[in-house]
Short mmCIF file of all heavy atoms in Angstrom, two decimals:
data_model
loop_
_atom_site.label_atom_id
_atom_site.label_comp_id
_atom_site.label_asym_id
_atom_site.label_seq_id
_atom_site.Cartn_x
_atom_site.Cartn_y
_atom_site.Cartn_z
N GLY A 1 157.42 327.96 41.53
CA GLY A 1 157.65 327.33 42.82
C GLY A 1 156.83 326.07 42.99
O GLY A 1 157.29 325.06 43.53
N THR A 2 155.60 326.13 42.51
CA THR A 2 154.71 324.96 42.58
C THR A 2 155.27 323.84 41.71
O THR A 2 155.31 322.68 42.12
CB THR A 2 153.29 325.33 42.11
OG1 THR A 2 152.81 326.42 42.89
CG2 THR A 2 152.35 324.16 42.22
N ASP A 3 155.71 324.20 40.52
CA ASP A 3 156.32 323.23 39.61
C ASP A 3 157.49 322.51 40.26
O ASP A 3 157.59 321.29 40.19
CB ASP A 3 156.84 323.95 38.36
CG ASP A 3 155.95 323.76 37.16
OD1 ASP A 3 154.89 323.16 37.31
OD2 ASP A 3 156.34 324.23 36.07
N ARG A 4 158.36 323.29 40.86
CA ARG A 4 159.57 322.70 41.46
C ARG A 4 159.25 321.76 42.61
O ARG A 4 159.90 320.76 42.79
CB ARG A 4 160.52 323.81 41.92
CG ARG A 4 161.42 324.30 40.78
CD ARG A 4 162.40 325.32 41.26
NE ARG A 4 161.80 326.59 40.85
CZ ARG A 4 161.80 327.69 41.55
NH1 ARG A 4 162.38 327.75 42.71
NH2 ARG A 4 161.22 328.78 41.10
N ARG A 5 158.23 322.11 43.38
CA ARG A 5 157.86 321.26 44.53
C ARG A 5 157.40 319.88 44.07
O ARG A 5 157.86 318.86 44.57
CB ARG A 5 156.81 321.93 45.40
CG ARG A 5 157.40 323.00 46.31
CD ARG A 5 156.40 323.40 47.39
NE ARG A 5 155.12 323.86 46.86
CZ ARG A 5 154.81 325.12 46.61
NH1 ARG A 5 155.70 326.07 46.83
NH2 ARG A 5 153.64 325.44 46.14
N TRP A 6 156.44 319.83 43.14
CA TRP A 6 155.95 318.51 42.74
C TRP A 6 156.99 317.77 41.91
O TRP A 6 157.08 316.54 41.97
CB TRP A 6 154.58 318.56 42.08
CG TRP A 6 154.47 319.23 40.74
CD1 TRP A 6 154.06 320.49 40.49
CD2 TRP A 6 154.74 318.65 39.46
NE1 TRP A 6 154.07 320.75 39.15
CE2 TRP A 6 154.48 319.63 38.49
CE3 TRP A 6 155.19 317.40 39.04
CZ2 TRP A 6 154.66 319.41 37.13
CZ3 TRP A 6 155.37 317.18 37.68
CH2 TRP A 6 155.09 318.18 36.74
N GLN A 7 157.80 318.49 41.14
CA GLN A 7 158.87 317.82 40.40
C GLN A 7 159.89 317.20 41.36
O GLN A 7 160.39 316.11 41.12
CB GLN A 7 159.56 318.78 39.43
CG GLN A 7 158.71 319.08 38.22
CD GLN A 7 159.32 320.15 37.33
OE1 GLN A 7 160.18 320.91 37.76
NE2 GLN A 7 158.86 320.22 36.09
N GLY A 8 160.16 317.91 42.47
CA GLY A 8 161.06 317.37 43.49
C GLY A 8 160.51 316.10 44.10
O GLY A 8 161.25 315.15 44.37
N CYS A 9 159.19 316.05 44.31
CA CYS A 9 158.56 314.84 44.84
C CYS A 9 158.75 313.67 43.89
O CYS A 9 159.08 312.56 44.30
CB CYS A 9 157.06 315.07 45.07
SG CYS A 9 156.69 316.18 46.43
N PHE A 10 158.56 313.91 42.60
CA PHE A 10 158.74 312.83 41.62
C PHE A 10 160.20 312.42 41.49
O PHE A 10 160.50 311.24 41.29
CB PHE A 10 158.15 313.22 40.27
CG PHE A 10 156.66 313.09 40.22
CD1 PHE A 10 155.85 314.20 40.29
CD2 PHE A 10 156.06 311.83 40.13
CE1 PHE A 10 154.46 314.08 40.27
CE2 PHE A 10 154.69 311.69 40.10
CZ PHE A 10 153.89 312.81 40.17
N GLU A 11 161.12 313.36 41.63
CA GLU A 11 162.55 313.02 41.58
C GLU A 11 162.92 312.13 42.76
O GLU A 11 163.65 311.15 42.60
CB GLU A 11 163.40 314.28 41.56
CG GLU A 11 163.40 315.00 40.24
CD GLU A 11 164.16 316.32 40.28
OE1 GLU A 11 165.00 316.51 41.19
OE2 GLU A 11 163.91 317.15 39.39
N ARG A 12 162.41 312.48 43.95
CA ARG A 12 162.69 311.64 45.13
C ARG A 12 162.08 310.25 44.95
O ARG A 12 162.70 309.24 45.29
CB ARG A 12 162.16 312.31 46.39
CG ARG A 12 163.04 313.48 46.86
CD ARG A 12 162.64 314.00 48.23
NE ARG A 12 161.26 314.49 48.32
CZ ARG A 12 160.84 315.68 47.89
NH1 ARG A 12 161.70 316.52 47.34
NH2 ARG A 12 159.58 316.03 48.03
N ALA A 13 160.86 310.21 44.42
CA ALA A 13 160.22 308.91 44.18
C ALA A 13 161.02 308.09 43.18
O ALA A 13 161.23 306.88 43.37
CB ALA A 13 158.79 309.10 43.68
N ALA A 14 161.51 308.72 42.12
CA ALA A 14 162.32 308.02 41.12
C ALA A 14 163.61 307.49 41.74
O ALA A 14 164.03 306.36 41.46
CB ALA A 14 162.63 308.93 39.95
N ASN A 15 164.22 308.28 42.61
CA ASN A 15 165.44 307.83 43.30
C ASN A 15 165.14 306.64 44.22
O ASN A 15 165.90 305.68 44.29
CB ASN A 15 166.08 308.97 44.09
CG ASN A 15 166.74 309.99 43.21
OD1 ASN A 15 167.12 309.71 42.09
ND2 ASN A 15 166.89 311.20 43.72
N ASP A 16 164.02 306.72 44.95
CA ASP A 16 163.63 305.62 45.83
C ASP A 16 163.35 304.35 45.04
O ASP A 16 163.74 303.25 45.44
CB ASP A 16 162.40 306.00 46.67
CG ASP A 16 162.70 307.07 47.71
OD1 ASP A 16 163.88 307.34 47.98
OD2 ASP A 16 161.72 307.63 48.26
N ILE A 17 162.68 304.49 43.91
CA ILE A 17 162.39 303.34 43.06
C ILE A 17 163.68 302.73 42.53
O ILE A 17 163.86 301.51 42.52
CB ILE A 17 161.43 303.73 41.91
CG1 ILE A 17 160.02 303.97 42.47
CG2 ILE A 17 161.43 302.68 40.80
CD1 ILE A 17 159.06 304.59 41.48
N SER A 18 164.61 303.58 42.12
CA SER A 18 165.90 303.09 41.63
C SER A 18 166.67 302.34 42.72
O SER A 18 167.25 301.27 42.47
CB SER A 18 166.73 304.28 41.11
OG SER A 18 167.99 303.83 40.69
N THR A 19 166.66 302.89 43.93
CA THR A 19 167.33 302.23 45.06
C THR A 19 166.69 300.88 45.36
O THR A 19 167.39 299.88 45.56
CB THR A 19 167.27 303.14 46.31
OG1 THR A 19 167.94 304.37 46.02
CG2 THR A 19 167.92 302.47 47.51
N ALA A 20 165.36 300.83 45.36
CA ALA A 20 164.65 299.58 45.61
C ALA A 20 164.94 298.57 44.51
O ALA A 20 165.15 297.38 44.78
CB ALA A 20 163.15 299.84 45.72
N ASN A 21 164.97 299.02 43.27
CA ASN A 21 165.25 298.13 42.15
C ASN A 21 166.65 297.54 42.26
O ASN A 21 166.85 296.33 42.03
CB ASN A 21 165.08 298.87 40.82
CG ASN A 21 165.12 297.93 39.65
OD1 ASN A 21 164.46 296.90 39.64
ND2 ASN A 21 165.89 298.29 38.64
N THR A 22 167.62 298.36 42.64
CA THR A 22 168.98 297.87 42.82
C THR A 22 169.03 296.82 43.92
O THR A 22 169.66 295.76 43.75
CB THR A 22 169.93 299.05 43.16
OG1 THR A 22 169.92 299.97 42.07
CG2 THR A 22 171.34 298.58 43.43
N ALA A 23 168.37 297.08 45.03
CA ALA A 23 168.35 296.13 46.14
C ALA A 23 167.67 294.81 45.74
O ALA A 23 168.16 293.73 46.07
CB ALA A 23 167.64 296.73 47.35
N LEU A 24 166.57 294.90 45.01
CA LEU A 24 165.89 293.69 44.56
C LEU A 24 166.74 292.88 43.59
O LEU A 24 166.79 291.65 43.66
CB LEU A 24 164.54 294.03 43.92
CG LEU A 24 163.43 294.44 44.88
CD1 LEU A 24 162.25 295.03 44.13
CD2 LEU A 24 162.99 293.24 45.71
N ASN A 25 167.43 293.57 42.70
CA ASN A 25 168.31 292.86 41.76
C ASN A 25 169.47 292.19 42.49
O ASN A 25 169.88 291.08 42.14
CB ASN A 25 168.82 293.80 40.67
CG ASN A 25 167.77 294.03 39.60
OD1 ASN A 25 167.19 293.09 39.08
ND2 ASN A 25 167.51 295.28 39.28
N GLN A 26 170.00 292.85 43.51
CA GLN A 26 171.06 292.24 44.31
C GLN A 26 170.52 291.02 45.05
O GLN A 26 171.19 289.97 45.12
CB GLN A 26 171.63 293.25 45.31
CG GLN A 26 172.50 294.31 44.68
CD GLN A 26 172.92 295.38 45.66
OE1 GLN A 26 172.32 295.54 46.73
NE2 GLN A 26 173.94 296.13 45.30
N ALA A 27 169.33 291.14 45.60
CA ALA A 27 168.71 290.00 46.31
C ALA A 27 168.49 288.84 45.34
O ALA A 27 168.77 287.68 45.68
CB ALA A 27 167.38 290.43 46.94
N TYR A 28 168.02 289.15 44.14
CA TYR A 28 167.80 288.10 43.14
C TYR A 28 169.11 287.39 42.80
O TYR A 28 169.16 286.16 42.71
CB TYR A 28 167.18 288.70 41.88
CG TYR A 28 166.75 287.67 40.87
CD1 TYR A 28 165.52 287.03 40.99
CD2 TYR A 28 167.57 287.32 39.81
CE1 TYR A 28 165.11 286.07 40.09
CE2 TYR A 28 167.17 286.35 38.90
CZ TYR A 28 165.94 285.74 39.04
OH TYR A 28 165.55 284.78 38.14
N SER A 29 170.16 288.16 42.65
CA SER A 29 171.48 287.59 42.36
C SER A 29 171.96 286.69 43.50
O SER A 29 172.51 285.61 43.26
CB SER A 29 172.48 288.72 42.11
OG SER A 29 173.76 288.21 41.86
N LEU A 30 171.76 287.14 44.73
CA LEU A 30 172.16 286.33 45.88
C LEU A 30 171.36 285.04 45.97
O LEU A 30 171.92 283.97 46.24
CB LEU A 30 172.01 287.13 47.18
CG LEU A 30 173.02 288.27 47.36
CD1 LEU A 30 172.63 289.14 48.55
CD2 LEU A 30 174.42 287.71 47.53
N VAL A 31 170.06 285.12 45.73
CA VAL A 31 169.23 283.92 45.75
C VAL A 31 169.67 282.96 44.65
O VAL A 31 169.77 281.75 44.86
CB VAL A 31 167.73 284.28 45.61
CG1 VAL A 31 166.89 283.05 45.29
CG2 VAL A 31 167.23 284.95 46.87
N ASP A 32 169.98 283.52 43.49
CA ASP A 32 170.42 282.69 42.36
C ASP A 32 171.70 281.93 42.69
O ASP A 32 171.92 280.83 42.19
CB ASP A 32 170.62 283.56 41.12
CG ASP A 32 170.79 282.75 39.87
OD1 ASP A 32 170.01 281.80 39.66
OD2 ASP A 32 171.72 283.05 39.10
N SER A 33 172.53 282.51 43.55
CA SER A 33 173.80 281.87 43.89
C SER A 33 173.70 280.88 45.05
O SER A 33 174.68 280.22 45.39
CB SER A 33 174.86 282.94 44.22
OG SER A 33 174.55 283.56 45.45
N LEU A 34 172.51 280.76 45.65
CA LEU A 34 172.34 279.82 46.76
C LEU A 34 172.58 278.39 46.31
O LEU A 34 172.15 277.97 45.23
CB LEU A 34 170.94 279.92 47.36
CG LEU A 34 170.62 281.18 48.14
CD1 LEU A 34 169.14 281.18 48.54
CD2 LEU A 34 171.50 281.30 49.36
N ASP A 35 173.25 277.64 47.15
CA ASP A 35 173.54 276.24 46.87
C ASP A 35 172.31 275.40 47.19
O ASP A 35 171.70 275.55 48.25
CB ASP A 35 174.72 275.78 47.72
CG ASP A 35 175.26 274.42 47.33
OD1 ASP A 35 174.75 273.85 46.33
OD2 ASP A 35 176.17 273.94 47.99
N GLU A 36 171.94 274.53 46.28
CA GLU A 36 170.76 273.67 46.46
C GLU A 36 171.14 272.28 46.96
O GLU A 36 170.29 271.42 47.11
CB GLU A 36 170.01 273.54 45.14
CG GLU A 36 169.48 274.85 44.61
CD GLU A 36 168.92 274.72 43.19
OE1 GLU A 36 169.19 273.73 42.51
OE2 GLU A 36 168.21 275.65 42.79
#
């Protein structure tokens, strides 16, 4: 039970990091497309 709890915390953190990475990559792409 202890194992599952901390593993669940790391899984949620990994999902949050993945979501943030996707958002940052989208933002980078949008900035790259800005007209100068």
Side-chain angles (χ1 to χ4, degrees):
T2 304
D3 257 5
R4 275 183 260 141
R5 281 194 304 268
W6 67 262
Q7 285 174 341
C9 290
F10 281 104
E11 285 175 21
R12 285 189 300 281
N15 287 337
D16 291 346
I17 288 170
S18 177
T19 300
N21 190 48
T22 298
L24 285 168
N25 281 310
Q26 287 173 342
Y28 188 83
S29 178
L30 290 170
V31 166
D32 192 46
S33 70
L34 289 174
D35 190 4
E36 298 171 344

